[in-house]
Amino acid sequence: MPSRPDRRRSERIRRSGKWILWFGALLILLFVSLGAKASECGSQSLIISYRTTPAGRPGLLGALRTRLAPRLEKLRARDALSHYRILFSRFVDSQTWDALVILEFRNDAQSTAWRHVDQKTPGGIDTKNLATSLALESTVSDCVGHGGPLSGNPDPVYMAIPYDYFVSPAEYAAYARAYVEPQTNGWMNAGALNAYQLYMARYPAGRSWMSLLLLAYHGDAGLNERNAVVAATRKSLATNPEWTARAQGKQHIRAEKAAMIADMIAGQ
């Protein structure tokens, strides 16, 4: 019969074993959860901007609807694309893009499938058949922050805000977690915003943007509440010392560029 010290030792070992199993299960659940969250944005993103002349906007819109959207849907249907959204700016603006396409790839095979499409039909549309000039910029990027579903709601209104930043990518990602995400989460909690994604260009040198914040508002009503919700959220976050410090020093971290309002004309 085991002595009392031996029984105590066995009991400690048994309890330690249970704790290790419990902790291991918790870690597995945590990693699965983080992996699922990361997969919503894909392992790699490609953001394509399309810019035409004011006279070319109707033709570009038609090409996106009738040529690009079916191509992207076919890729998604055969698991060669994870998600896609086609956005078209609400108003003509010669200083920036007319359309923005966001492609999400889950793996290298999916990004390779798009490259094959792009080689035959640049930007996914037959640009040679368009009557006016068209400029395209394709930016390989990574989603470094997000909340809510990728497609927003059935009738989202998008705001795309480009930024340049003056710190290292790691420092900018930390800034986004500490300053940007508390605000966007607050806008979602207020009901004005359905979803957001923050992208960082993987190779930013010479690009028109280094990071891009994509906001999917709850229709026009949500967009109209933007200023009030932003002010209320910032007021509530003012008691957070870390957020306040980031707010006071943000001008040394990034520069905000012209925001665009757009509607989603196709997406999954």
Side-chain angles (χ1 to χ4, degrees), residues 99-179:
L100 199 70
V101 172
I102 302 99
L103 307 179
E104 307 285 354
F105 307 119
R106 189 168 54 252
N107 49 49
D108 290 339
Q110 289 188 342
S111 60
T112 298
W114 172 254
R115 288 203 303 272
H116 291 160
V117 171
D118 192 67
Q119 288 170 0
K120 296 178 180 178
T121 54
I125 56 177
D126 302 309
T127 54
K128 64 182 180 181
N129 293 329
L130 293 179
T132 57
S133 61
L134 182 66
L136 288 81
E137 182 182 38
S138 298
T139 304
V140 178
S141 58
D142 297 292
C143 182
V144 296
H146 67 92
L150 281 178
S151 297
N153 68 334
D155 190 25
V157 177
Y158 282 88
M159 176 180 284
I161 310 175
Y163 297 90
D164 285 337
Y165 56 83
F166 319 120
V167 295
S168 70
E171 289 176 299
Y172 184 78
Y175 153 82
R177 287 191 296 270
Y179 177 75

Side-chain angles (χ1 to χ4, degrees), residues 38-39 41-46 75 78-83 103-115 202:
S39 67
C41 269
S43 62
Q44 179 180 303
S45 306
L46 184 68
L75 288 174
R78 60 184 176 90
D79 199 33
L81 181 65
S82 182
H83 295 280
L103 307 179
E104 307 285 354
F105 307 119
R106 189 168 54 252
N107 49 49
D108 290 339
Q110 289 188 342
S111 60
T112 298
W114 172 254
R115 288 203 303 272
R202 188 172 291 188

Side-chain angles (χ1 to χ4, degrees), residues 16 35 55 64 67 131 180 189 207 212 216 231 245 254:
S16 298
L64 294 171
R67 300 173 198 167
V180 179
N189 292 336
R207 294 288 168 183
L212 182 71
R254 92 294 183 272

Side-chain angles (χ1 to χ4, degrees), residues 234-250:
R234 288 179 176 176
K235 183 178 180 179
S236 68
L237 288 171
T239 58
N240 183 322
E242 182 182 9
W243 184 88
T244 301
R246 294 285 189 176
Q248 293 173 346
K250 65 182 180 181

Side-chain angles (χ1 to χ4, degrees), residues 42-54:
S43 62
Q44 179 180 303
S45 306
L46 184 68
I47 300 179
I48 311 171
S49 63
Y50 302 72
R51 182 175 173 181
T52 186
T53 62

